């Protein structure tokens, strides 16, 4: 029998208009934004694939929950609802809410890291590594080699290489490794999952040596779905069961609720050790707010509590990742080089493969993201050398093997028709890829430079050449100068 199509398990109740701009307008907007897609105004974007962070559409149940916000300064009922949801689905007894994920990373790094420590992890994440470094640690990437190869089709490219981990522990001593930072899925590797077998092995290795395992649970539900689909013996388990199983191997977690949990703001630190939790509850009042609200309104806590339950519904997660696959498979069919296998939250274009004429120090991924905006009004994000920043000790640019542009899919926001437009846009740009110019910095901030840096094209006025319209634009610029 012919397989039937699937559809999203929701219908749309509220809509937000979006507007297509002209190419001439976009040329101006990208120039004004210093060729950094973070600096474009949202109203000037047609389809916004910058990030899946805080960009979800909430459900009617979540909006109803917002009206039940208990905005008492202390002891809000919504805190206890969130605590119940985290205990039920993630299994951490102790809950410290934070305004978002990096708030939890800040607390964890301050509590657990001593200057001179070493933190191994499965590929860096920007905010996570920065907080580890600010607390005095050196981060070490111990992910398997396949993760650095965009063409490798390894099903669990997020796995930790136990040999690399052991070599580091032997070298620096287990007492200088406060914890292993285990991210599921691995964002910068392309949204790649970690297998349950690997989580178990890492947990056993670390716990035998007194090292803690701290999960970055930001996209753990998406990881659970991949485990269910790809790992032997996991097919009959629910995503909720797999999520809980993954967390059971760990000692705590930092969480950005803005991703998996379908909310626009919120995060938490989950712990098992009550002594560590007491320290975290004390620290959170310094940086975020009282330990029962952590920088959030009661209504935000409630929306997150409800969102956690919705995030593990099988139909939901299948359609969420199904949409990412729809986009990724069409791009692959058109011959566009993308990271394989397709990840959980995004399709990652391999900018280094697509733009071999642009040297790494002219930031091909930054240029590609800017050019895609000019071409189509689609906003994406650079995930390559600009995101990687400079080495904390030498100050040199870091050049990770992966030089990517991330087409990140917000949850429950765009339809298949939007994806079709994105496919056509990327394919059109792919055909014109030799017309993209490299970029050089005109402004480089000290921390997390990718958010606010500015650039200009090298040897050209434009990041993307375009014949007729560009000539028109030149005349307009000439008249206004
Ligand atoms: N991730 C993302 O777009 C938003 C900001 S960085 C461009 O992918 C992981 C794996 C993340 C993450 C944020 C955070 C920090 C921690 N871990 O943004 O502070 O992907 O809530 O979370 C972003 P917050």
């Amino acid at each position: 029998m012919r397989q039937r199509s699937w559809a999203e398990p929701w219908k749309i109740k509220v809509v937000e208009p979006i507007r297509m701009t002209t190419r001439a307008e976009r040329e101006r907007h990208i120039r004004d934004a210093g060729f950094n897609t973070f600096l474009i105004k949202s109203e000037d974007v047609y389809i916004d694939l910058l990030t899946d962070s805080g960009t979800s559409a909430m459900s009617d149940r979540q909006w109803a929950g917002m009206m039940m916000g208990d905005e008492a300064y202390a002891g809000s009922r919504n805190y206890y609802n969130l605590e119940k949801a985290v205990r039920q689905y993630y299994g951490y007894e102790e809950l410290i809410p934070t305004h978002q994920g990096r708030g939890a990373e800040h607390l964890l790094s301050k509590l657990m890291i001593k200057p001179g420590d070493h933190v191994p992890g499965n590929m860096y994440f920007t905010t996570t590594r920065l907080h580890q470094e600010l607390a005095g640690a050196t981060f070490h990437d111990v992910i398997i080699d396949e993760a650095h190869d965009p063409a490798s089709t390894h099903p669990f490219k997020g796995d930790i290489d136990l040999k690399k981990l052991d070599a580091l522990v032997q070298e620096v001593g287990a007492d200088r490794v406060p914890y292993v930072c285990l991210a599921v899925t691995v964002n910068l590797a392309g949204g790649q999952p970690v297998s349950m077998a690997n989580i178990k092995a890492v947990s056993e290795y670390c716990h035998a040596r007194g090292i803690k395992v701290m999960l970055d649970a930001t996209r753990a539900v998406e990881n659970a779905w991949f485990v269910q689909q790809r790992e032997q013996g996991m097919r009959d388990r629910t995503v909720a069961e797999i999520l809980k199983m993954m967390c059971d191997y760990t000692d705590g977690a930092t969480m950005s609720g803005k991703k998996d949990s379908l909310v626009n703001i919120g995060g938490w630190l989950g712990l098992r050790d009550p002594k560590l939790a007491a320290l975290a509850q004390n620290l959170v009042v310094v940086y975020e707010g009282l330990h029962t609200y952590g920088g959030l309104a009661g209504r935000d806590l409630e929306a997150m509590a409800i969102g956690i339950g919705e995030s593990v519904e099988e139909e939901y997660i299948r359609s969420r990742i199904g949409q990412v696959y729809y986009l990724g498979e069409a791009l692959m069919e058109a011959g566009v080089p993308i990271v394989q296998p397709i990840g959980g939250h995004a399709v990652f274009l391999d900018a280094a493969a697509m733009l071999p004429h642009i040297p790494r120090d002219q930031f091909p991924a930054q240029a590609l993201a800017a050019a895609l905006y000019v071409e189509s009004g689609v906003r994406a994000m650079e995930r390559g050398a600009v995101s990687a920043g400079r080495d904390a000790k030498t100050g040199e640019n870091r050049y990770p093997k992966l030089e990517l542009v991330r087409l990140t899919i917000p949850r429950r926001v765009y339809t298949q028709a939007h994806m079709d437009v994105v496919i056509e846009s990327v394919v059109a740009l792919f055909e014109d890829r030799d017309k993209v110019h490299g970029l050089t910095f005109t402004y480089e901030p000290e921390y997390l430079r990718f958010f606010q840096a500015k650039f200009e094209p090298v040897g050209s006025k434009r990041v993307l050449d375009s014949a007729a319209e560009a000539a028109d634009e030149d005349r307009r610029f000439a008249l206004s100068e």
Side-chain angles (χ1 to χ4, degrees), residues 10 22 68 81 207 282 301 359 366 370 382 404:
W10 37 262
T22 64
M68 301 299 286
N81 291 345
H207 291 149
N282 191 215
L301 298 167
Q366 187 75 30
E382 188 269 2
L404 310 174

Side-chain angles (χ1 to χ4, degrees), residues 38 50-53 100-103 105 125-128 183 185 187 216 218-219 256-259 266 345 381 383 406 450-451:
F38 275 101
L50 182 73
T51 177
D52 62 331
S53 181
Q100 59 185 87
R102 70 198 73 177
E105 292 167 352
F125 185 71
T126 52
T127 57
T128 324
T185 57
N187 189 352
D216 179 341
T218 297
R219 297 182 184 85
S256 171
K258 300 172 72 173
K259 284 79 169 177
H345 64 301
M381 187 194 291
R383 299 274 73 166
R406 190 181 70 177
F450 58 94
F451 282 128

